[in-house]
Amino acid sequence: MARILAVRGSNVQLAADGLADRGYGIHLGTNTLRHFERMAFGTVRKGMRFGLVAVLHDGWKGAYGSAGRRWRTMRDEFGIVGYERAFEDTFGWGSGFHLHWHTMWVTRKVLDAKTQAEFRDALAGAWAEAVEAAGGYTVSETCDRDGCFCQGKGHGTDLRPLNGADDEPGEAGKQARYLYKDGDKAKGGVAKIGLELAGQNFKAGRGEDRMGPLDLGDAAAAELEQLGRPGPFVEKYREREFGCFQVRKHYRTQNLNKLIKELGIEQDTRTEAQITDETEGLTAIAVIPASTWYRHIARRPGRRLDLIKVAETYGLPGVKKLMESWGLEWGKDVLDPPTPDAPGDLNAEQLVLQEEREPSPAETAYREARRAATEARADDVAASLDRVRNPRQETRPKVSLRKPFKAKPTTRTIATPPPGAASPVCRRCGGKLAPILQPYGEHAGDCLRKDPELAA
């Protein structure tokens, strides 16, 4: 978490500095909800959408969604290029969960004081209406505190300019650091902009009765250890963890990202997996072929974890002894690590051991059948998708309905009668048989007929 936070904070800091130095306006915005202790954190999961987090997301979409006419009007009027947004939440027993957005708004030019106030009022009006439409309580739009920074406009929406027309070059970036605050405001300085957007998990709530996510987790762990069972802190922590699923905690608009790339502002483009990769600087102690891994380790419960623990604790000697206890031979089933001269290559002996065995004829036939079935399935799916994309295209039916139907001739095989079965009369009823039935000596079916002449 700390590594990812550092990279995100650096990216936003570099973006804020670069954009401000090139004349763009940088503004710090905050959007909050009116909340009470009884209100649930909620979730945005499909089919379960409810609570504060759902109102927060739906309110943002309704206020600043790219498809809305009101948003397009604000974008054109104030020259909004884009924004970078971060999700933040805290908890307190007196007021419950407190969810809000922190946003770095970017405009094409630095706004004067009058335009800045109009920009703030436009954002606040859109947010207030969207929150009510999303099912939330009316946000704070008035304030009677003397000397409050909101100047009587309420705390539902806050927007502060981070650079002005009279600022010196580079000063805007310093002010923009507030978005990633690191707690140094007590020393008289303005904290970093990075920690405000990326550091939502490290932030502690304002006041002694409010806790950030990590504070709440620590309290839940301590409570569970002391009581031996889940208590109120554990319940709230689990509610928060359930509600944060599928919540995008950090988001930058495509237009702003495109502008940053066009201006050549340096950014760290590594993924979270690459940032947290801990393999750099490690020493290889063994090479396990795929056949050995899947046959003797991966599919045996507990062996992967045992291998990791032994490798971390005892190194190469422990791994060798563990492999021998599993009936594996070192140098055949498990290979020595690559040489220091070529750490990424295997030597000739290891390459020979890594060669795959020749498959049997039955295995080859099975693989060919699977490959043919996969290709046929892919062709069917491609044809189906093509028909969906082009519903009006002509398709050739496999059966023509214009041609007359021709019935296929059917032949009935008459069984050869047994020897001595021929008779001019039926053995059942004694009636006279037609010449075609005389070889069988009886009428077809259940014969109940009587020939009067023969009966007489």
Side-chain angles (χ1 to χ4, degrees):
M1 187 185 299
R3 294 181 185 180
I4 296 173
L5 167 63
V7 172
R8 285 180 175 175
S10 175
N11 282 342
V12 176
Q13 186 61 55
L14 292 172
D17 290 338
L19 292 169
D21 291 342
R22 289 166 175 79
Y24 289 88
I26 309 297
H27 317 265
L28 171 62
T30 304
N31 296 83
T32 63
L33 298 175
R34 191 185 297 274
H35 57 95
F36 303 96
E37 184 179 5
R38 67 178 183 275
M39 300 176 69
F41 191 100
T43 181
V44 292
R45 298 168 188 251
K46 187 176 181 180
M48 303 174 60
R49 201 177 188 91
F50 75 99
L52 289 170
V53 68
V55 174
L56 192 74
H57 275 76
D58 295 343
W60 183 276
K61 183 177 180 181
Y64 315 123
S66 59
R69 180 180 299 178
R70 187 167 188 170
W71 162 251
R72 295 197 300 268
T73 302
M74 285 192 297
R75 179 194 61 191
D76 298 338
E77 181 178 358
F78 301 103
I80 302 174
V81 177
Y83 58 82
E84 190 153 354
R85 186 193 68 191
F87 170 82
E88 188 171 296
D89 66 289
T90 58
F91 173 75
W93 290 111
S95 55
F97 288 104
H98 174 47
L99 280 59
H100 52 282
W101 299 117
H102 284 300
T103 313
M104 182 180 72
W105 297 93
V106 180
T107 55
R108 297 193 178 277
K109 61 180 181 179
V110 177
L111 305 181
D112 56 31
K114 179 181 179 182
T115 309
Q116 178 72 26
E118 294 174 352
F119 185 25
R120 184 266 171 204
D121 293 342
L123 293 176
W127 174 249
E129 292 183 9
V131 167
E132 289 193 33
Y137 286 100
T138 303
V139 299
S140 173
E141 296 185 87
T142 59
C143 178
D144 55 1
R145 298 178 186 174
D146 296 334
C148 184
F149 68 89
C150 71
Q151 299 179 356
K153 295 184 178 181
H155 304 161
T157 304
D158 182 30
L159 186 70
R160 308 183 190 185
L162 298 181
N163 58 341
D166 55 347
D167 289 339
E168 298 179 1
E171 188 68 21
K174 296 179 182 179
Q175 297 295 329
R177 292 189 181 95
Y178 176 74
L179 282 176
Y180 288 97
K181 56 188 177 183
D182 57 3
D184 62 355
K185 288 186 291 184
K187 302 177 183 179
V190 178
K192 294 182 179 179
I193 189 175
L195 288 177
E196 185 72 12
L197 284 185
Q200 62 273 2
N201 288 329
F202 290 100
K203 177 183 176 181
R206 294 183 179 179
E208 297 180 355
D209 61 333
R210 301 206 62 80
M211 296 175 287
L214 294 186
D215 297 331
L216 181 60
D218 290 341
E223 178 187 64
L224 193 61
E225 183 178 4
Q226 292 177 4
L227 301 180
R229 56 180 175 79
F233 282 106
V234 175
E235 180 182 353
K236 290 301 180 181
Y237 181 77
R238 289 177 176 175
E239 180 181 356
R240 190 259 175 191
E241 285 298 295
F242 181 84
C244 283
F245 181 71
Q246 294 182 339
V247 174
R248 181 176 286 185
K249 298 184 179 180
H250 188 264
Y251 173 71
R252 177 186 289 176
T253 60
Q254 296 180 2
N255 290 338
L256 180 57
N257 203 36
K258 181 179 178 181
L259 175 62
I260 292 172
K261 291 181 180 180
E262 290 177 351
L263 296 177
I265 300 175
E266 181 183 357
Q267 295 284 279
D268 190 336
T269 58
R270 290 182 297 169
T271 63
E272 291 189 358
Q274 293 172 338
I275 295 172
T276 56
D277 184 14
E278 298 181 352
T279 59
E280 185 177 356
L282 299 181
T283 303
I285 60 175
V287 175
I288 304 177
S291 58
T292 302
W293 174 259
Y294 289 107
R295 187 177 302 173
H296 300 284
I297 300 176
R299 296 174 182 172
R300 302 292 183 90
R303 286 195 172 184
R304 285 183 291 183
L305 183 58
D306 292 341
L307 179 60
I308 293 174
K309 290 182 177 179
V310 170
E312 291 177 346
T313 307
Y314 302 104
L316 180 58
V319 171
K320 281 187 175 182
K321 192 170 183 179
L322 180 65
M323 292 296 180
E324 292 173 357
S325 69
W326 292 342
L328 302 176
E329 183 179 348
W330 195 273
K332 181 180 178 180
D333 299 317
V334 182
L335 313 178
D336 290 323
T339 60
D341 297 335
D345 300 327
L346 300 177
N347 56 38
E349 183 180 356
Q350 292 171 338
L351 287 174
V352 172
L353 294 174
Q354 282 287 86
E355 292 181 357
E356 296 184 0
R357 60 179 177 82
E358 290 293 332
S360 63
E363 187 176 355
T364 302
Y366 173 75
R367 290 181 179 180
E368 291 295 334
R370 287 291 302 272
R371 185 180 297 107
T374 303
E375 293 176 354
R377 175 62 178 168
D379 294 340
D380 293 342
V381 172
S384 301
L385 292 175
D386 184 60
R387 288 193 296 270
V388 172
R389 297 189 188 100
N390 305 289
R392 297 184 180 180
Q393 67 177 355
E394 297 181 1
T395 58
R396 285 187 176 184
K398 296 181 179 180
V399 179
S400 177
L401 301 179
R402 297 181 180 180
K403 296 181 180 179
F405 176 75
K406 294 182 179 180
K408 295 181 180 180
T410 58
T411 57
R412 181 180 177 184
T413 303
I414 300 177
T416 304
S423 173
V425 295
C426 179
R427 288 190 176 90
R428 293 184 180 180
C429 64
K432 187 176 179 180
L433 293 175
I436 194 172
L437 296 178
Q438 288 181 7
Y440 299 93
E442 60 183 20
H443 287 106
D446 188 9
C447 179
L448 299 176
R449 293 175 291 182
K450 295 287 186 179
D451 193 332
E453 297 180 359
L454 294 178

